[in-house]
Amino acid sequence: MHTDDFRRLFVGFVMVDTLVAMRWLDRKWHKVVEKKLIEFEDEPFGEIIVHGGNDVSWGEAISDARKERMKQVTKVVFLLNITKVGNSVCRFASNLVVVDIPEGITSIGGASFGCCSSLKDIKFPKSLTSIGRASFIRCESLEQVDLLHTNVLELGDYVFDNCRSLREMKVPDSLQTLGSNVFCNCSELVPSTIDIDNMVDYDDVTFEVVDYLRSVQ
């Protein structure tokens, strides 16, 4: 990550002394993130994640300690020049309400925002081409998703599984692959907002869901 970009975002958003922040500039960005979330447990820190495209391992993401720390997160800041939202990076951030994914990011990793139960507003970039498995699973406050302006080609398995408040889903003509159980338990979803004729690659389980959506339109 370019030092100037790092300095602008890190010093601007993380609540630490500027001199301390400057001493951290030569470290990998993920060390800074973990220092904020882990090492300052007795300080009122942890509201912001500074994200640079890394993955969080499955084991780490579901650990009780990290789950508790993630409850503090209310904002995610993306560093410049990254192309991916890492796997599980915001998983269990139950107080995260708004996410603005910047232009240049092409993929959202698996379970990136899984179990963000307060998440209501997601802004997607035009550059986006894929949304990974279970990226928004159990985002129970999410009411609408608009991907029309993006270049999304693929929605992975279980992407919006258990998004029980989801009422409107808009997908672009570019969409080609729809995974298994993408809209499982989305009981409020209005089928007419999904252009399913462009879904050309899906397995038998998803075929049953798509077939049902066609029947009620």
Side-chain angles (χ1 to χ4, degrees):
M1 178 48 57
H2 192 281
T3 300
D4 289 341
D5 295 339
F6 192 101
R7 181 184 295 110
R8 178 173 62 81
L9 288 168
F10 188 72
V11 175
F13 287 99
V14 181
M15 296 180 296
V16 294
D17 182 83
T18 301
L19 293 178
V20 175
M22 298 300 283
R23 287 201 298 272
W24 289 347
L25 288 178
D26 60 347
R27 299 188 181 188
K28 289 180 181 290
W29 69 269
H30 63 269
K31 295 296 184 183
V32 177
V33 173
E34 292 307 309
K35 194 172 186 65
K36 182 171 173 50
L37 289 177
I38 295 175
E39 294 186 12
F40 292 139
E41 291 179 344
D42 296 328
E43 301 284 348
F45 290 1
E47 294 89 350
I48 298 170
I49 285 181
V50 179
H51 181 56
N54 72 311
D55 294 328
V56 175
S57 70
W58 180 82
E60 181 182 0
I62 66 171
S63 68
D64 290 339
R66 187 174 179 89
K67 284 183 181 179
E68 287 302 309
R69 289 192 295 273
M70 291 304 292
K71 290 179 181 179
Q72 301 176 49
V73 173
T74 59
K75 185 180 182 67
V76 55
V77 175
F78 299 89
L79 296 184
L80 302 180
N81 302 324
I82 65 173
T83 59
K84 176 187 177 182
V85 177
N87 297 338
S88 297
V89 67
C90 290
R91 195 173 183 180
F92 299 112
S94 56
N95 289 305
L96 185 64
V97 177
V98 177
V99 173
D100 188 351
I101 301 174
E103 199 61 46
I105 287 180
T106 59
S107 64
I108 298 175
S112 294
F113 300 95
C115 300
C116 291
S117 55
S118 299
L119 186 59
K120 290 185 177 181
D121 186 10
I122 311 166
K123 293 181 175 62
F124 298 95
K126 182 179 179 181
S127 55
L128 188 65
T129 59
S130 68
I131 302 179
R133 179 184 176 92
S135 292
F136 297 97
I137 191 171
R138 296 188 181 277
C139 289
E140 298 170 352
S141 298
L142 189 61
E143 295 183 358
Q144 61 180 8
V145 173
D146 187 354
L147 297 169
L148 282 178
H149 61 288
T150 72
N151 291 299
V152 165
L153 301 171
E154 176 183 7
L155 296 179
D157 300 343
Y158 301 96
V159 171
F160 298 104
D161 184 4
N162 272 285
C163 292
R164 298 180 182 274
S165 298
L166 186 62
R167 293 186 171 87
E168 184 176 4
M169 178 78 197
K170 296 181 179 179
V171 298
D173 291 340
S174 59
L175 185 61
Q176 297 180 11
T177 302
L178 184 68
S180 171
N181 294 305
V182 171
F183 306 114
C184 185
N185 293 316
C186 295
S187 57
E188 299 295 318
L189 185 62
V190 179
S192 62
T193 65
I194 306 174
D195 182 2
I196 55 179
D197 289 330
N198 289 312
M199 317 287 187
V200 298
D201 183 16
Y202 39 74
D203 63 17
D204 291 340
V205 176
T206 302
F207 180 81
E208 293 177 5
V209 175
V210 171
D211 193 48
Y212 167 74
L213 291 175
R214 283 200 176 99
S215 71
V216 297
Q217 287 193 53

